[in-house]
Structures are given as structure tokens and as C-alpha cells.
Amino acid sequence: MEFKLEAHRIVSISLGKIYNSRVQRGGIKLHKNLLVSLVLRSARQVYLSDPCPSLYLAGPAGSRGAAGVGGGPAGGPAPGSSPLKKPRRNSEEQPGGAAAAEEEMETGNVANLISIFGSSFSGLLRKSPGGGREEAEGEESGPEAAEPGQICCDKPVLRDINPWSTAIVAF
Amino acid sequence: MSGRSGRADIISTVEFNHTGELLATGDKGGRVVIFQREQESKNQVHRRGEYNVYSTFQSHEPEFDYLKSLEIEEKINKIRWLPQQNAAYFLLSTNDKTVKLWKVSERDKRPEGYNLKDEEGRLRDPATITTLRVPVLRPMDLMVEATPRRVFANAHTYHINSISVNSDYETYMSADDLRINLWNFEITNQSFNIVDIKPANMEELTEVITAAEFHPHHCNSFVYSSSKGTIRLCDMRASALCDRHSKFFEEPEDPSNRSFFSEIISSISDVKFSHSGRYIMTRDYLTVKVWDLNMENRPIETYQVHDYLRSKLCSLYENDCIFDKFECVWNGSDSVIMTGSYNNFFRMFDRNTKRDVTLEASRENSKPRAILKPRKVCVGGKRRKDEISVDSLDFSKKILHTAWHPSENIIAVAATNNLYIFQDKVN
């Protein structure tokens, strides 16, 4: 459970970094974005392979990414993030909002990012699971297979990943 | 030595020239400042040569790439000196996209007594000229001028991270994230691509080039490091495109240290040949490693710079510190190596005695001629009086760039927008 929360937090932070890199002076830094995408991939693998039931985490994902200089807990859930179950109703509304946000983000530079970092990133933004998402990740079966389990594209699990939409909507 | 407050003054590179007489710094605002060591005088024996400002010039300006809608930063990423061949000094400076060759020369005489113009340069009325004279050179106040002699542009799609002058003194290389180009100093409209690791499909990208350097004596050899923690030694005689390495240096990963951030902390931020050419030194986020060119499967020495950060990697990822690129340097005899850390600390490791020391570059602790006191970081348990706890470290004060005089124990340490120069105690 802890791993899942930590992984979720790291995913949110990573998405934020990739988004911010679009507006940074000097253009997208390839090296940094590559490293961030590697962290994103590791965190996502841990998140998806953790056998806990899927969570509806309260609060905007971005707020836990507050960067204190050298401070903050190194691991474990951020303070105040006790998992809450959101009413089913909200999750119906979320996809609508998320879709709008995703469509907005799909244009322009994010499309470039997707083409650079490929399916492992675009899979996060594509709302409907399945499709070309998992089989294109040949590179994932490399050293990262050391992480628990190669993820199978399990449609029910993926459909429940509302925290992903939450992370995207926050940006 | 201090700069004005503001981000443009942040020092981004420091480099001594081959004799140590000059010290160049580049900053985020595209400026280069060169310091020159005072000649030692017999009258003031106790005053070892100090470094004073010799020349300041604007090397790079911000540019805008209209095709890609990208701003190109003017920050100077690297400066490398050419060996001195005449009275003038030459250096290469580079930002993300363009390398420039600068000539720095002194002018201490000027011609006086022209026939056709007066001392202010105004044209004289020819009717008033009744005699002819030869202009003579008269002394003037010393003026140091920097002129751009070559501009090497439009050869890099990605961001330049390294430049290195070849020991043949005729060529140099520039490296970006995916490619390395070889230049001749005389030719600016062409360069040879000698390394290209760009995959046909960018979705397959797994590593980038992080630093590159020519061998100090063998003009055919160079090394480049990668974001995966590997180093490749290449021989330009083997083929025109050096995609196949001669040697491949990689240490097997320690599985017990695996975390979300293992890949980031193994990315090499700097690679430097020893002066002897026999070793290479690499810096990753937590360690400095020395490799013997004859042994590819592991480094011969590993030094922990600040291992107490290993448990803080998640926070350091959040505040972006984990992406900081620290450099490392050898001393003149290759017996001591030095690198920076946080809280304005920098570390020196003596390879022979295996002793190490942590020092701090700060105004409070650095009155002129004061002796630097070793510092210690407390990693847990009871903190002693002079120690600093890990949680008190200031991560905004980082020492990324340092330089060591080629033959003497003089070091230059860049702490954000301040430059510190430390010398060995004179007995």
C-alpha cells in the first residue's frame, strides 16, 4: 500500500516536471526528460503491480509535490493523504474533465514529448486502456523487469486508474 | 571576489589555462571573466601571486530559433583554453548551440603622429599639411581586448554539454546529447560527425551522451560518458564514425541499492582524463570513480562524496537537486581529486593516503589568508559541536564547478555567483 502511494506521488511529480520542461527557457532538455521518464516508468510499474485494490486518493495530486529544500519525507505517504473513497458520481464526472484536459494537452508540444518518449508515456495520457499500449513497450522488458512482475494489460484495473486522470487534470 | 545579486551572475564554468597564469569563468548571462595572476615580486615575498580581473567580455547573447520557437540560452556551458603559441591567448567558449573561439590580446602602445588626421581622429584639412612625418608607437595604458575569431554554429541539434581541445592543437570536438562533432579551428562551415547515438526511432532512446574529452596525449583517442553510467573510449583511426567503441567501461549495478532513482544517480555528470592519460575519473550523483584505462569491468577507486543523501533521493528528486551536474578535477600530479557538494562544501580525496577532507567556500569562513577548517556532516546520532546535520544543509548552495591549477596547489571554487580562490599555505 505504501509503495502504491509513493509511486503515485512520484508519478505526479514526474508528470509535473515533464509539463514544466515545455515552458522552460532554452527548450526541452533531452537528458533530464529522459531521466524523468525512466523514473515515471519505474513508478508506474510499481504502482500497477502492487496488489492493493485501486484507490481514490483525495486532494489534487499536485499539492503533494511541494518542494522543500532538502526537506520532506524521503519515503512513505505524504502527510494528510489518508486514502478516501470518492463517491462513484465524481468518477463519472472526472473522465469528462480529464478528456478535455487531455485533448488540450495532446496538441502542440506534448505531442512532441509523446513522440520522443513513446508509448510508455502516451499510454498514460490515452484515456482508454489497451490498444497499442503494452505491446509496444518492448524496451520495458529490459533491466526494469527486475521490478515486481511484468505488467499485463488488465482492462478492469486500468479503467479504475482515476488517480492518473487526477494527475493530468491538475496540470 | 563577488558578483552582483541576480541569476545572470551565476558562474557556470571555471577553467585555468595551461600555465595557470590565467583563470577564466563563464556565467549564466553569457559573460566571460578572465583573471590573471600577479607576477610575484621580490619586494613582497609573502604575497603569493594573486588573481585580478584581466578581461571581461560578453561571449554569447540569447538567441531565438524561429523555426522551432525556442529560446537559446546564453549561458556559457564550458570554456577550454588553447595552449599559448604567441603573445595572445585563445579560448573556446560554448553555450547550448554555438562554440566561439576568442582571442584575448594586450595593447600597450598606440600609433601617434598621423599625417591625415589629428590626435582625436578627425581629418585634417589637406591644405594645412605642409610636412610629412612617420607615425611612431607610443606607450599607452594597458588595454586588454577580446575579439571573436571564429564562430562554429549550426552543427548541433541538441544541447552542447562538452568541448575538448585535441592534443594536436588543430582540432577540437563538441558533444551534445546525441552527437559528437570534430572541428578544425580554421574551418567554421564544416564539422565531422564522429559519434552519433541517435536511434532511428526516438521512442527507442535509452541513453544520452553526458560528457566527452580527448586523451591528453593521443590525438586519436577520446572518451565519452553516458546517462547510463558507462564510458566509451573511441579511436578515430578505426573508422570515420566512432559508433563502435574500443573500450567500454561499466560497473555492474549493486542490486541492494536499487530504487526509483537508481538510473538518475548513475548518470555520469563529468569525465576527466588524468594528466598522465592513464586514468579517467567520472562523477555521478553520489560518488567519484577512478578507472584504469586497462580495466573495463570496474573502477579501481570509488569515493563517496555525500552518501548521506542516499536516503533523501525522493526529496532531491522533487526539488530537482538530483539533476545537478557536479564536475570533478585532478590536481597537477594526479594524486588528489576534488569535487563539489551542497552547502558550499567541496571535497578532496588523496588517492595515496586515502584521506579525504570536506571544506566550505563561504564568506564567513574565508577571510584573506585564513586557513580553511575541515567540515563534517553528521549522519545520525549525536551531533558534535562543529558538525552540521544533514537536514540543515542548504541545497541551494551547490558547488558544481571547480578548477585546479595545472602545477601548483591553487584551486578555484565557484559557489553560485561567487568565485573563491584558495592557495596552499606559504611556509
Side-chain angles (χ1 to χ4, degrees):
Chain A
M1 178 64 79
E2 273 184 27
F3 294 129
K4 210 172 173 85
L5 287 169
E6 177 70 359
H8 175 272
R9 182 161 152 260
I10 289 174
V11 165
S12 305
I13 293 167
S14 304
L15 288 174
K17 288 189 194 299
I18 292 180
Y19 186 82
N20 285 333
S21 75
R22 295 166 46 194
V23 300
Q24 248 166 25
R25 209 172 158 241
I28 294 176
K29 306 240 184 304
L30 189 62
H31 183 198
K32 183 176 176 186
N33 277 275
L34 177 66
L35 295 176
V36 171
S37 72
L38 293 174
V39 170
L40 194 54
R41 201 173 59 188
S42 299
R44 184 172 60 103
Q45 282 179 345
V46 168
Y47 184 88
L48 292 178
S49 64
D50 194 324
C52 292
S54 52
L55 300 167
Y56 296 89
L57 294 169
S63 66
R64 282 196 292 282
V69 170
S81 66
S82 50
L84 295 175
K85 269 216 145 81
K86 270 192 194 158
R88 202 76 189 134
R89 183 170 50 84
N90 275 5
S91 73
E92 297 301 321
E93 287 168 1
Q94 286 270 6
E102 283 171 17
E103 271 151 25
E104 209 173 276
M105 287 183 73
E106 293 268 358
T107 60
N109 291 340
V110 176
N112 291 338
L113 281 175
I114 293 168
S115 66
I116 289 169
F117 296 111
S119 53
S120 58
F121 183 61
S122 61
L124 291 165
L125 291 185
R126 205 177 301 137
K127 197 172 75 71
S128 55
R133 183 165 174 249
E134 294 298 332
E135 63 258 27
E137 287 167 5
E139 60 185 337
E140 300 241 356
S141 57
E144 266 56 50
E147 293 294 343
Q150 181 59 39
I151 292 88
C152 295
C153 179
D154 189 1
K155 290 196 179 183
V157 171
L158 292 168
R159 202 163 273 138
D160 284 341
I161 303 179
N162 271 310
W164 301 104
S165 334
T166 307
I168 292 162
V169 165
F171 296 117
Chain B
M1 170 64 199
S2 70
R4 299 182 300 273
S5 63
R7 295 186 62 81
D9 272 24
I10 295 174
I11 299 171
S12 48
T13 184
V14 186
E15 187 82 353
F16 280 100
N17 76 339
H18 293 256
T19 60
E21 181 203 353
L22 298 180
L23 175 66
T25 63
D27 68 23
K28 224 168 178 265
R31 269 190 338 162
V32 171
V33 180
I34 301 178
F35 300 84
Q36 185 187 43
R37 195 176 184 194
E38 255 175 41
Q39 299 299 328
E40 295 176 30
S41 69
K42 291 195 178 62
N43 299 335
Q44 299 180 307
V45 174
H46 65 279
R47 241 173 101 96
R48 279 270 207 95
E50 291 185 353
Y51 285 84
N52 302 312
V53 178
Y54 178 66
S55 172
T56 302
F57 57 93
Q58 189 73 31
S59 171
H60 287 70
E61 299 275 3
E63 286 175 53
F64 196 77
D65 180 338
Y66 293 97
L67 279 180
K68 295 181 192 166
S69 282
L70 283 183
E71 200 178 353
I72 299 169
E73 280 189 277
E74 67 275 31
K75 171 168 77 89
I76 308 294
N77 293 335
K78 285 281 160 34
I79 288 174
R80 290 290 182 261
W81 290 93
L82 269 68
Q84 200 177 0
Q85 289 173 315
N86 53 37
Y89 304 102
F90 287 88
L91 61 81
L92 287 175
S93 70
T94 186
N95 69 349
D96 283 338
K97 296 288 183 184
T98 302
V99 185
K100 294 187 185 180
L101 176 69
W102 287 89
K103 175 181 178 183
V104 181
S105 50
E106 294 180 5
R107 192 194 287 272
D108 62 356
K109 297 183 189 42
R110 66 156 182 245
E112 288 178 16
Y114 283 104
N115 292 292
L116 298 176
K117 52 185 180 178
D118 65 21
E119 295 310 313
E120 277 81 47
R122 290 181 299 235
L123 289 174
R124 290 168 70 187
D125 179 0
T128 64
I129 300 172
T130 54
T131 59
L132 204 59
R133 58 186 174 172
V134 176
V136 292
L137 290 174
R138 296 216 186 281
M140 59 179 256
D141 288 340
L142 179 65
M143 196 171 79
V144 181
E145 46 185 20
T147 46
R149 302 297 290 177
R150 305 271 188 275
V151 177
F152 304 93
N154 303 320
H156 287 281
T157 309
Y158 302 95
H159 293 98
I160 296 175
N161 52 55
S162 312
I163 45 176
S164 179
V165 178
N166 204 348
S167 51
D168 64 9
Y169 305 153
E170 289 183 1
T171 57
Y172 77 93
M173 67 167 157
S174 55
D176 68 29
D177 293 311
L178 297 178
R179 298 190 176 102
I180 302 180
N181 293 330
L182 181 72
W183 301 84
N184 182 302
F185 282 110
E186 301 302 318
I187 301 170
T188 58
N189 59 359
Q190 270 187 57
S191 72
F192 286 103
N193 176 241
I194 54 176
V195 173
D196 187 339
I197 65 167
K198 182 171 188 240
N201 186 352
M202 277 296 269
E203 291 181 4
E204 292 160 12
L205 181 72
T206 55
E207 71 182 321
V208 298
I209 297 168
T210 53
E213 195 181 49
F214 268 116
H215 191 283
H217 315 307
H218 305 314
C219 55
N220 55 292
S221 285
F222 64 92
V223 292
Y224 70 91
S225 58
S226 85
S227 55
K228 276 190 173 172
T230 64
I231 308 102
R232 288 169 175 82
L233 176 78
C234 299
D235 185 336
M236 294 197 290
R237 296 171 302 190
S239 67
L241 190 60
C242 299
D243 279 356
R244 296 170 62 105
H245 49 263
S246 311
K247 296 199 184 195
F248 180 70
F249 300 85
E250 184 180 33
E251 183 176 27
E253 192 192 351
D254 178 0
S256 65
N257 274 337
R258 189 118 179 81
S259 76
F260 286 126
F261 310 105
S262 298
E263 280 131 338
I264 301 187
I265 64 171
S266 63
S267 176
I268 292 175
S269 51
D270 194 17
V271 66
K272 292 268 174 40
F273 271 102
S274 63
H275 292 91
S276 62
R278 203 178 141 201
Y279 304 103
I280 46 178
M281 166 167 56
T282 58
R283 176 70 154 96
D284 53 55
Y285 191 62
L286 297 178
T287 72
V288 186
K289 295 179 176 158
V290 176
W291 306 73
D292 186 320
L293 281 187
N294 299 317
M295 188 159 73
E296 298 169 56
N297 59 352
R298 60 180 173 82
I300 57 170
E301 295 155 31
T302 300
Y303 301 94
Q304 302 295 332
V305 181
H306 37 217
D307 200 57
Y308 46 78
L309 297 183
R310 198 178 286 274
S311 57
K312 310 269 178 210
L313 293 180
C314 194
S315 308
L316 295 165
Y317 178 70
E318 274 185 82
N319 64 17
D320 270 1
C321 283
I322 207 174
F323 301 105
D324 287 334
K325 295 189 180 156
F326 292 94
E327 292 171 7
C328 53
V329 291
W330 299 86
N331 74 338
S333 58
D334 299 335
S335 58
V336 182
I337 58 182
M338 174 169 71
T339 189
S341 177
Y342 293 104
N343 209 73
N344 280 348
F345 288 169
F346 57 100
R347 305 261 282 136
M348 287 188 198
F349 302 92
D350 188 316
R351 298 178 60 218
N352 300 323
T353 65
K354 300 304 179 198
R355 281 180 13 210
D356 62 86
V357 68
T358 304
L359 300 169
E360 182 178 359
S362 75
R363 283 182 203 263
E364 299 81 43
N365 301 335
S366 307
K367 302 186 180 31
R369 295 184 221 310
I371 295 178
L372 282 180
K373 197 179 68 168
R375 313 289 302 183
K376 196 145 166 28
V377 176
C378 161
V379 291
K382 292 186 73 156
R383 187 178 75 87
R384 287 199 200 81
K385 189 168 84 85
D386 277 342
E387 290 181 354
I388 299 188
S389 72
V390 179
D391 295 318
S392 314
L393 293 174
D394 187 343
F395 288 88
S396 66
K397 294 185 178 162
K398 50 195 87 175
I399 292 183
L400 305 174
H401 312 287
T402 61
W404 204 308
H405 189 285
S407 52
E408 295 185 39
N409 280 342
I410 304 173
I411 57 173
V413 175
T416 318
N417 56 352
N418 293 314
L419 181 72
Y420 293 83
I421 300 177
F422 300 111
Q423 301 193 14
D424 226 2
K425 189 166 68 107
V426 179
N427 293 324

